[in-house]
Amino acid sequence: MRVSKAEVTLNYVILTVFAVIALTPILTVLATVFQHRTGGGSASKGAADGGVLATGAGNLAEAWSSGGFGRYLLTSLLVAVVVLGVSLVLSIMTGYAFGTMRFRGSTALFYLFLLGLMIPAEAIVIPLFFDLRTLGLTDTLLAVAGPQIAQSVAFGTFWMRAQFRAMPPELIDAAAVDGATSWRTLTGVLVPASKQGIATLSVLVFMWTWNEFLIPLVMSPTGAFRTAPLALSIFKGQYTAETQLLAAAAVIIALPVVIVFIILQRYFIKGMLEGGVK
């Protein structure tokens, strides 16, 4: 099917408009980081005298030290790694079971998993907090990571089931002919063939976990497991008028997600395209 030049031009115009709309807030935040802070003291003035880059570096350093983000970034990283690791393992296994095996009650059980996508966290977080407090588990890694693992496994099961169901049945049949067990078929055949989908799921789960605000806020009332978004919220309340510092803090918090996306972007885009085709 041949596409006319006018249609191609219109597509590029529409994409450009949406790109500008999406990039404008990001570029505005980045530009604010490199602005001189009025009344910021001798350190800010000295950074401004060194040029735009020195000003931006000074704002980032000031935000880092004032907000103490090092500790909170490590906490967020710990929670994200635990949630991502456990969720991926469970999602791959449940997706494999629902996508390739037939057993009694599989459909009903799969829809039960999907309830995790339909029930918002706001509806269950308060009862869950009282349950965990009764068990003495609040202010622990389990209290912060556990509910997020449950949410991620619900989506991960749905995602990996679609991935495995789209695989050619000949792959599984050939593995069975070669005498491979179900576990060997999963780890040696299906997982390598689904690396784009797994990478996409990894980016999504990491991003959702990193940006989660409500669950760490409720499940860690003393702030023992305060994550980076919570620290950013507190920092915002302390430096309401310092827009340069707020922008610098936002960049610090968002940077790990950007780094993960850059590393996995090739697999992420391929996985999203494959998911769209399937």
Side-chain angles (χ1 to χ4, degrees), residues 41-97:
S42 58
S44 176
K45 294 178 181 178
D49 294 338
V52 176
L53 293 178
T55 301
N59 289 334
L60 289 170
E62 179 68 22
W64 178 274
S65 60
S66 299
F69 288 114
R71 170 194 170 190
Y72 304 120
L73 288 174
L74 288 176
T75 301
S76 287
L77 182 61
L78 174 62
V79 173
V81 168
V82 171
V83 173
L84 178 59
V86 176
S87 299
L88 278 183
V89 173
L90 295 179
S91 297
I92 290 173
M93 291 192 295
T94 53
Y96 174 61

Side-chain angles (χ1 to χ4, degrees), residues 10-80:
L10 181 60
N11 288 336
Y12 277 109
V13 170
I14 294 175
L15 290 174
T16 302
V17 170
F18 279 100
V20 170
I21 294 174
L23 291 176
T24 297
I26 299 174
L27 296 177
T28 301
V29 171
L30 291 176
T32 305
V33 173
F34 295 96
Q35 291 178 359
H36 169 58
R37 288 190 295 128
T38 57
S42 58
S44 176
K45 294 178 181 178
D49 294 338
V52 176
L53 293 178
T55 301
N59 289 334
L60 289 170
E62 179 68 22
W64 178 274
S65 60
S66 299
F69 288 114
R71 170 194 170 190
Y72 304 120
L73 288 174
L74 288 176
T75 301
S76 287
L77 182 61
L78 174 62
V79 173

